[in-house]
Structure formats: C-alpha cells, structure tokens
Amino acid sequence: MELFGFDFQYPWALLLLALVPVYAWLRGRIGRAAALLYPDTTLLGAVGRPVRERAGRLRVFLRLLTAILLVIAIAGPRTANKETEREAEGVDIMLVVDLSWSMMALDMSTARAEVTRWQASQKVIYDFLAKRPDDRIGAVVFSGKPYLLSPLTINKIWVEKGIDRMHIGSIQETGTAIGEGLAMAVDRMKNIKGRRSKVIILLTDGDDNMSKAILPVPAAELAAALGIRMYCIGLGKDEPTVLPRFDTRTGQLYRDVLGKTIPMQTINPANYEMLGKMAKVANGRFYRALDQNQLSRVYEEIDRLERTEVRIRESVVYESYRLVWAALAGLLLLLELGWGLLRPRAP
C-alpha cells in the first residue's frame, strides 16, 4: 500500500485513521458549552476566572492533524531503493568481414534504392551489435590482406564506428584473403581465458585467391581445435554479377550523364562449397544470403543460436521515515499547547 509516495512496514496501522473523523464527530456532540438562565448576570461576575485553555477550531484542527501524523508514523512509512546486480555469461564474437572489390556489386538493391553488398552488410552488422549488449565483439576486415578493425570489446559504439568508416577500397591490397582474415581472428581469440563461448562469423562474397600463410579450411580447423565455433555466410547471387566502376578513394559509384552506373567487370559467386566445409569443420553452420532480407534473417538466427545467459539479482533496501513523521506530530502538538497558553479564555 502506498500513500504520499511511501509504502508502509505496518499498513494495517493506517486503519486507525478511521478513528479520527469519529473523534471529531463525537467531540462536536459532547463538547458544546452548557447554558443556564440567570435573571441577573452580575451574580456570575465573581465566578469567572481566566482559563488557560481554549478549545477553538484551530486547536481542534491541530489536534486531529497531530493524531493523523502519529498514526502514519506508527505505520512505518518508508521508501524502497532497488539495487539490481546483473551477471552475464557473455559470448566473445569476432566478425570477419570481406572488404574486397566484389562487395560493390549491386545485387542487394531493391525497387526503391541501389544497395551494394557492403552497404547491406553494414546495416545488418549494426543491428546485430545493438542486440548483443553483454558480449565482447571485435572485427577483422580483409581484402588482399587482413586488418584488425577492433579487438574484442564491450564498447559496441567503437566497433560500429570502425565499420562505418570503412569503404570498398580502404584496403589497398586487392583480392580475397579469407584464410588469413580468419587466422587473424583466431589469433585474437586463442588466449582468452574463462568459460565464455567463442564464435567467429565470416561474411564473404568470393573465393580465396590471396592467402599464402594459411588457407581457409586449415584456418577453420585451427579455430575448431581452440574451441571456437564458426558461422560462414556466403553473400550474393549464385551467378556471375556485374561489378560497377567506383572510386577506390571514397567508395562512391561512378555514373554516366544519365545517372546510371558504369559497368567495370563481371565477378564470380562465392565458393559456397568451401564455406560449407569450413562451417562443418568448426562446428558451426553455413548460410546463403541472396538479398538484404535473407542476410538479416541469417544474423537474426545466429543471434538466437548464440544466446547470452544473464542472471539478475535484485535486492531492496528500505529507508525509514518514521522519525520524520513522529517529529512533525510532536511539532504540531507543541504548536497546539502554545496556542492554548497564548490565547486564554476571556473572563
């Protein structure tokens, strides 16, 4: 039960408040001054004496208010301060994202807008980051060489800003080094201690043609040996696709005078067989994403599969205000007594 923003330790004591209006009514019934008829009032002149008490309306009001405050004090007014302790068995996730030229292909476009593979990837990664508040996430991007975009961190804004500032052409070395990109992610996770799950999510639209130190499947085997589960996503249509011409310094598409994109070359689809084998070796799953909706659903499924166990413990600390209400009642009682001393009944 709440009153004036407080809950009460003994709420049943508030039932005593019902006696206050009963007292006021009874006092009004029995507290009337008696009247006698005298033929000559001078006979009573010697009887009257100043009485240092006056039962006026203000005193009655103060007395009733004092009783109300005392009842509230007895009920034990208090406020509850809830303290929540959140414990999370998070997941360590490394995103390994293809930044090769083929990610400029426009087969993620809709009827309303042109969308490159990289733009579609950025959007789903942002959504994925927002859904994982309790996990540490890092990112590796690769084209002809891999680069660490972010180590594992709880700061999702840092990872998002890193993804946001990337564009196709940011990595000068052209080609696709899937194996070396994956190996870099594994290297960043190999010394992690504790029971946290370790996951790598590989997103690519091509075939490995630049890895020298380690090839994709052996890199996946290394991940499996270290207890790292791997999800592989093959992006793009399963057919040759036209790659538009673009500015590698900015990632912006070149257009002709009519505003249409200028074709540059035809690119081949991803090596889905290799990606499937990598996922199987690393105890994960392989996915195909032919458009934006399918790509979003893939990340949503991975989000569901890799749930974070969160335990919430809530404790309540009460702060008592009983003395405050009792002090107010005492103050009003003193005020009533003072009023009676200062306003005696006239003789």
Side-chain angles (χ1 to χ4, degrees):
M1 179 178 179
E2 288 193 5
L3 182 67
F4 306 126
F6 299 96
D7 64 4
F8 294 90
Q9 186 176 1
Y10 307 111
W12 51 266
L14 296 177
L15 296 175
L16 296 174
L17 292 175
L19 299 178
V20 174
V22 174
Y23 166 77
W25 179 77
L26 290 175
R27 192 188 182 290
R29 298 280 297 175
I30 65 177
R32 294 171 181 167
L36 295 175
L37 297 177
Y38 283 88
D40 188 357
T41 57
T42 59
L43 298 174
L44 301 176
V47 178
R49 293 287 186 275
V51 180
R52 306 182 74 80
E53 179 181 6
R54 182 178 181 182
R57 291 183 178 178
L58 181 57
R59 287 195 65 187
V60 173
F61 172 76
L62 292 175
R63 190 171 300 168
L64 294 176
L65 188 55
T66 300
I68 291 173
L69 294 179
L70 282 174
V71 169
I72 293 176
I74 292 171
R78 61 187 183 178
T79 56
N81 298 317
K82 294 184 178 180
E83 297 181 357
T84 301
E85 185 178 346
R86 184 185 179 96
E87 295 181 355
E89 281 291 334
V91 182
D92 286 331
I93 302 173
M94 284 296 293
L95 305 175
V96 181
V97 188
D98 195 338
L99 207 65
S100 59
W101 283 21
S102 57
M103 292 289 283
M104 284 298 292
L106 292 168
D107 53 351
M108 299 289 114
S109 300
T110 65
R112 296 182 178 181
E114 285 184 336
V115 180
T116 66
R117 293 174 179 177
W118 173 238
Q119 289 171 332
S121 301
Q122 285 177 300
K123 181 180 182 303
V124 297
I125 290 173
Y126 297 154
D127 293 341
F128 183 77
L129 291 173
K131 295 175 182 177
R132 314 293 302 197
D134 299 300
D135 303 314
R136 293 190 301 184
I137 297 180
V140 170
V141 293
F142 65 90
S143 182
K145 286 183 63 176
Y147 287 90
L148 179 67
L149 188 63
S150 171
L152 289 167
T153 176
I154 199 70
N155 187 350
K156 309 305 186 304
I157 295 177
W158 172 261
V159 181
E160 183 175 328
K161 286 182 177 179
I163 296 291
D164 186 58
R165 70 173 180 265
M166 290 292 103
H167 63 80
I168 307 306
S170 295
I171 300 177
Q172 295 181 356
E173 294 84 0
T174 59
T176 307
I178 297 175
E180 293 184 3
L182 177 56
M184 178 175 286
V186 172
D187 184 66
R188 302 300 299 193
M189 305 184 83
K190 67 181 180 182
N191 295 323
I192 295 175
K193 305 298 182 182
R195 298 182 301 171
R196 297 170 68 100
S197 298
K198 293 180 284 188
V199 171
I200 289 177
I201 303 175
L202 169 66
L203 173 64
T204 181
D205 68 341
D207 192 2
D208 189 291
N209 55 22
M210 290 298 292
S211 293
K212 299 180 179 63
I214 184 169
L215 296 176
V217 175
E221 292 172 344
L222 177 61
L226 295 172
I228 303 172
R229 186 163 45 256
M230 187 171 172
Y231 297 96
C232 297
I233 305 170
L235 182 63
K237 296 179 179 178
D238 192 11
E239 59 186 31
T241 305
V242 175
L243 180 66
R245 190 177 299 275
F246 67 98
D247 187 347
T248 58
R249 296 168 300 175
T250 63
Q252 299 298 313
L253 294 168
Y254 286 127
R255 300 181 184 275
D256 60 21
V257 292
L258 299 177
K260 295 183 178 181
T261 57
I262 302 172
M264 180 169 61
Q265 65 185 70
T266 301
I267 55 175
N268 294 318
N271 188 340
Y272 301 119
E273 182 179 354
M274 179 192 69
L275 294 176
K277 186 174 182 180
M278 292 169 65
K280 185 176 181 180
V281 165
N283 303 310
R285 295 189 181 185
F286 165 63
Y287 298 94
R288 291 282 308 279
L290 304 181
D291 54 39
Q292 288 189 71
N293 291 332
Q294 288 186 6
L295 185 59
S296 295
R297 287 196 292 270
V298 167
Y299 275 86
E300 288 172 0
E301 180 173 336
I302 296 174
D303 178 59
R304 288 192 299 269
L305 291 172
E306 295 296 335
R307 297 313 304 159
T308 299
E309 182 181 350
V310 179
R311 296 185 298 274
I312 297 177
R313 292 188 294 183
E314 189 176 89
S315 59
V316 181
V317 178
Y318 291 102
E319 184 175 358
S320 176
Y321 289 85
R322 175 179 285 136
L323 291 180
V324 175
W325 288 83
L328 289 175
L331 182 63
L332 288 180
L333 181 60
L334 291 175
L335 185 60
E336 180 198 348
L337 295 175
W339 182 262
L341 292 173
L342 293 173
R343 298 295 299 270
R345 185 185 299 162

